[in-house]
Amino acid sequence: MTDLGAAPPGDPLPILKQWLERAAELTDRPNPHSLVLSTTGAEGCPDARVVLLKRFDERTGYLVFYTNYESAKGRQLEALAEACAVFHWDRLGLQARIRGPVLASPAEESDAYFATRSWQSRLAAWSSAQSQPVSSRAELNARMNETAARFGGDPGDWSRAAPPRVVARPSFWGGYRLFARAVELWMQGQARLHDRILWSRNLEAAGESSFRGGPWTAKRLQP
Ligand SMILES: Cc1cc2nc3c(=O)[nH]c(=O)nc-3n(C[C@H](O)[C@H](O)[C@H](O)COP(=O)(O)O)c2cc1C
């Protein structure tokens, strides 16, 4: 397949879902659902980093990723709750860009996800003030040891199975939902005549953690 169809499909979300499924089958890519998340930093300067997509809600049209709410990205999103996500699957010749507003996931959803994380990952979430300076690796290790001891584990040996004591989610760590207001799908074509379609729609607030999307309009863009 070298194009997205003569007439742009009405809804990009099923195509994005299909692309994510195809990417998940890539055997030579350890994190097929990694994405570059761009936000706006101080004085309007762009910033970007890689995060992992943990869920795609095809019905409403949002991406979920998890992070520290007090990290640089967390603070940037607090100041301007808009982001852009870019996926690139080189082997498939595909790129997807998703832009729109960002809301924190409902607390219960973040709790449920946090509970599925390994003991070490939960300790690390507590131990790392993400994006803050640290004097040394030794200080970070010491912090992991303290956290392990606090939750009934064995300091110095985080590889042990989790002790029975529950490690609750820290309130400064959780999910974000990036709602698709615009989706651009790019498919590699012959002679650099790639195919690009940009879909956009209006979003209307629907409660604390969601939006309702209006109808999509699509236009094909020159490569
Ligand atoms: C493959 C990969 C996956 C990553 N996944 C996440 C993630 O899901 N959440 C996260 O907070 N950081 C993740 N990181 C680390 C971020 O890229 C980044 O270093 C960190 O979130 C701090 O970013 P900030 O200072 O801009 O907030 C990942 C890095 C890589 C290379």
Side-chain angles (χ1 to χ4, degrees), residues 96-174:
R97 294 158 82 175
I98 297 97
R99 288 195 297 271
V102 177
L103 296 174
S105 299
E108 321 77 69
E109 196 176 297
S110 293
D111 288 341
Y113 173 70
F114 192 74
T116 67
R117 287 170 64 87
S118 70
W119 153 247
Q120 290 90 347
S121 300
R122 282 176 281 158
L123 285 189
W126 274 103
S127 306
S128 167
Q130 194 178 52
S131 315
Q132 295 300 314
V134 66
S135 62
S136 62
R137 294 290 303 173
E139 186 189 327
L140 271 181
N141 285 339
R143 220 168 310 133
M144 277 288 272
N145 287 339
E146 277 165 31
T147 314
R150 179 146 64 93
F151 289 107
D154 183 0
D157 187 1
W158 319 314
S159 60
R160 292 262 177 92
R165 189 149 349 140
V166 173
V167 181
R169 175 179 66 91
S171 58
F172 55 78
W173 192 99

Side-chain angles (χ1 to χ4, degrees), residues 56-139:
F56 171 54
D57 184 295
E58 183 195 351
R59 199 176 54 86
T60 307
Y62 62 84
L63 311 173
V64 178
F65 60 92
Y66 288 88
T67 193
N68 185 311
Y69 290 138
E70 295 171 1
S71 63
K73 76 182 88 47
R75 292 184 191 281
Q76 291 166 358
L77 287 169
E78 205 177 302
L80 179 62
E82 289 278 334
C84 176
V86 183
F87 294 98
H88 174 218
W89 298 291
D90 219 356
R91 298 278 254 129
L92 303 177
L94 300 174
Q95 172 182 246
R97 294 158 82 175
I98 297 97
R99 288 195 297 271
V102 177
L103 296 174
S105 299
E108 321 77 69
E109 196 176 297
S110 293
D111 288 341
Y113 173 70
F114 192 74
T116 67
R117 287 170 64 87
S118 70
W119 153 247
Q120 290 90 347
S121 300
R122 282 176 281 158
L123 285 189
W126 274 103
S127 306
S128 167
Q130 194 178 52
S131 315
Q132 295 300 314
V134 66
S135 62
S136 62
R137 294 290 303 173
E139 186 189 327

